[in-house]
Amino acid sequence: MKRQNLRTAALILCIFSYLLVGAAVFDALESEAESGRKRLLEQKRGELRRKYRFSADDYRELERLVLQAEPHRAGRQWKFAGSFYFAITVITTIGYGHAAPGTDAGKVFCMFYAILGIPLTLVMFQSLGERMNTVVRLLLKKIKKCLGMRTTHVSMENMVLVGFLSCMGTLCIGAAAFSYFEGWTFFHAYYYCFITLTTIGFGDFVALQKNEALQKKPPYVAFSFMYILVGLTVIGAFLNLVVLRFLTMNSEDERRDAEERASLRRARNNIHLKPKEDSQGNNAIFLPVEDRTSQMNLIPLIQEDTERQRRQSANSAAAVPSFCTCLCYRPQLCSSPVPSHPETLSCHTNPVYYNSISYKIDEVSLSTRGQTGSSPGSTLSSNSPRCRQHPRLRRKSI
């Protein structure tokens, strides 16, 4: 968890630093050019007002008319072709801004349409990107095999290189096409493709906005729509390959931490001995065992024996025979009915291999255990006739 918090704090710091650097660079590059364009625009405005004798109100009205008429240069924006173009810019979050709903009903529908369409589109592009990466990996493996390379393993570096070259090729093809159809320079067309396929969508360059292209050039319209969708798929595949690996690091760390905590909890439950109290008030130590097995009473600790052991600690230890618990593997070996109390059990009826447990208790009086020598937690004495009658029972001593 500490590592995840440090990574998040480092990312926040990097983003703010990146924003500061970007603001400083854009200020240095664009500030002077903006001032020059503003002076030129004011000069042009004064010349027009002197030439045509416009008042200030007339000039503002003329500006408003020009801005409203600009989108209609491409033809009717809200016919099917223009509406399809607008829907693409909505669900792909490109948002050029070249057209916007003018009615309240259209604005309400646009919000609900985006709420459902944007997540669906993101999932679709991510899935297509994964499929594309899988196909590319198979093709690279076959190419390496055909070239006779010693290893045909496709590394992450190979995939990143292929993805980068695919993105560059897609951008160059689009730049060549749009520079031809729109009359832009190759650089401006490349800039338009990059801004579009990264879903930035400034709107300073927008295709299909000249000479009523939406109605008069159907092949170019179809090419533009397909280029946007295919190009977004290629970019999505590259981002899915590179960026999403870093986006999922926090979730992977959280899952790993949870697994480690669960593993430590299981190890603690399976290894550590837990003291419990039985119904008679005597303390005993139990060993947690796996499912479908029994919980064995290993060393019964009786208060009387404990006090006697403390009194006789200076004397030599008396030899006490070992006791064992014998658990049957085959249920048909049990001839007696199942008793109701665990102390009278002669065998276990669960058809699973069990471990017999042998142990020795030093300096404990046998007067409290009866003549068979079996402890309260034992199920069968080592000298019991039932153990001697079945020598093929599976045993193990620990």
Side-chain angles (χ1 to χ4, degrees):
M1 186 63 67
K2 185 180 298 184
R3 179 174 51 191
Q4 300 166 15
N5 295 335
L6 290 176
R7 183 187 298 122
T8 302
L11 287 174
I12 294 174
L13 181 62
C14 289
I15 287 296
F16 276 103
S17 302
Y18 198 70
L19 290 173
L20 293 175
V21 171
V25 172
F26 284 124
D27 185 9
L29 294 177
E30 297 292 335
S31 180
E32 291 297 329
E34 181 189 22
S35 300
R37 286 193 298 268
K38 185 177 181 180
R39 289 192 299 267
L40 182 61
L41 181 60
E42 290 176 350
Q43 180 182 353
K44 206 70 171 172
R45 179 188 303 169
E47 292 177 357
L48 289 175
R49 291 181 60 183
R50 287 192 300 268
K51 181 178 181 179
Y52 297 102
R53 300 182 184 279
F54 288 148
S55 64
D57 294 337
D58 293 337
Y59 185 80
R60 281 194 294 270
E61 183 68 17
L62 182 62
E63 282 183 333
R64 187 177 64 83
L65 289 175
V66 170
L67 291 176
Q68 290 181 355
E70 179 64 26
H72 298 285
R73 294 174 56 188
R76 301 187 64 178
Q77 291 283 352
W78 296 107
K79 286 296 184 180
F80 184 79
S83 299
F84 193 85
Y85 193 22
F86 175 77
I88 289 177
T89 62
V90 169
I91 65 174
T92 58
T93 68
I94 295 175
Y96 289 128
H98 67 290
T103 63
D104 292 340
K107 293 174 182 177
V108 171
F109 177 75
C110 182
M111 289 187 289
F112 285 100
Y113 186 74
I115 288 175
L116 180 61
I118 291 174
L120 183 62
T121 305
L122 293 177
V123 172
M124 185 267 292
F125 281 128
Q126 181 181 357
S127 180
L128 285 176
E130 291 177 354
R131 296 300 92 202
M132 185 176 294
N133 289 333
T134 301
V135 172
V136 170
R137 188 176 286 107
L138 292 177
L139 290 177
L140 288 178
K141 187 176 293 186
K142 290 183 178 180
I143 290 174
K144 287 187 175 183
K145 187 178 297 184
C146 292
L147 294 177
M149 293 185 176
R150 182 173 302 175
T151 174
T152 59
H153 173 69
V154 179
S155 63
M156 180 59 65
E157 290 77 9
N158 299 144
M159 294 297 297
V160 171
L161 179 61
V162 172
F164 178 75
L165 294 178
S166 300
C167 292
M168 294 298 295
T170 303
L171 292 174
C172 290
I173 291 173
F178 287 112
S179 64
Y180 173 77
F181 287 109
E182 296 290 339
W184 298 332
T185 63
F186 184 84
F187 173 75
H188 286 163
Y190 191 92
Y191 168 80
Y192 162 76
C193 294
F194 181 85
I195 295 300
T196 297
L197 298 184
T198 54
T199 69
I200 297 173
F202 288 132
D204 50 350
F205 288 89
V206 182
L208 303 173
Q209 299 299 299
K210 293 181 180 179
N211 303 323
E212 298 184 356
L214 287 172
Q215 281 75 41
K216 295 182 178 180
K217 298 180 179 179
Y220 177 45
V221 173
F223 168 79
S224 299
F225 294 167
M226 291 302 300
Y227 176 78
I228 291 175
L229 296 176
V230 174
L232 287 174
T233 303
V234 175
I235 297 297
F238 181 71
L239 295 179
N240 182 69
L241 186 67
V242 178
V243 178
L244 291 183
R245 293 180 62 87
F246 297 96
L247 294 180
T248 56
M249 290 179 67
N250 281 335
S251 60
E252 291 179 356
D253 289 341
E254 292 176 358
R255 179 179 55 81
R256 190 183 303 112
D257 293 342
E259 291 177 354
E260 290 177 357
R261 288 193 296 268
S263 177
L264 290 176
R265 194 179 301 113
R266 287 194 300 268
R268 192 181 300 114
N269 292 337
N270 291 333
I271 296 177
H272 290 175
L273 295 176
K274 300 184 298 183
K276 293 184 179 180
E277 294 184 358
D278 57 11
S279 59
Q280 299 177 355
N282 298 329
N283 292 331
I285 295 178
F286 291 87
L287 177 65
V289 292
E290 299 290 335
D291 295 338
R292 301 180 65 187
T293 61
S294 300
Q295 190 177 41
M296 308 296 296
N297 183 356
L298 293 184
I299 307 177
L301 300 178
I302 304 175
Q303 185 67 24
E304 178 184 355
D305 296 336
T306 305
E307 294 177 357
R308 182 179 296 105
Q309 181 180 4
R310 191 180 296 112
R311 290 194 303 267
Q312 298 176 356
S313 59
N315 300 329
S316 59
V320 180
S322 297
F323 305 100
C324 74
T325 59
C326 179
L327 299 177
C328 297
Y329 164 64
R330 297 175 180 171
Q332 61 267 23
L333 296 179
C334 303
S335 58
S336 60
V338 179
S340 61
H341 196 277
E343 292 184 1
T344 60
L345 288 176
S346 60
C347 62
H348 202 288
T349 60
N350 193 350
V352 182
Y353 283 99
Y354 289 88
N355 292 335
S356 298
I357 301 178
S358 299
Y359 54 90
K360 179 179 291 187
I361 304 175
D362 294 336
E363 302 183 17
V364 177
S365 174
L366 298 180
S367 62
T368 61
R369 287 178 170 77
Q371 299 302 321
T372 60
S374 62
S375 65
S378 302
T379 60
L380 192 65
S381 172
S382 60
N383 297 324
S384 173
R386 194 170 297 276
C387 281
R388 291 193 299 267
Q389 291 173 4
H390 303 288
R392 299 180 62 182
L393 292 178
R394 181 179 179 86
R395 293 189 178 186
K396 185 184 295 184
S397 297
I398 60 173

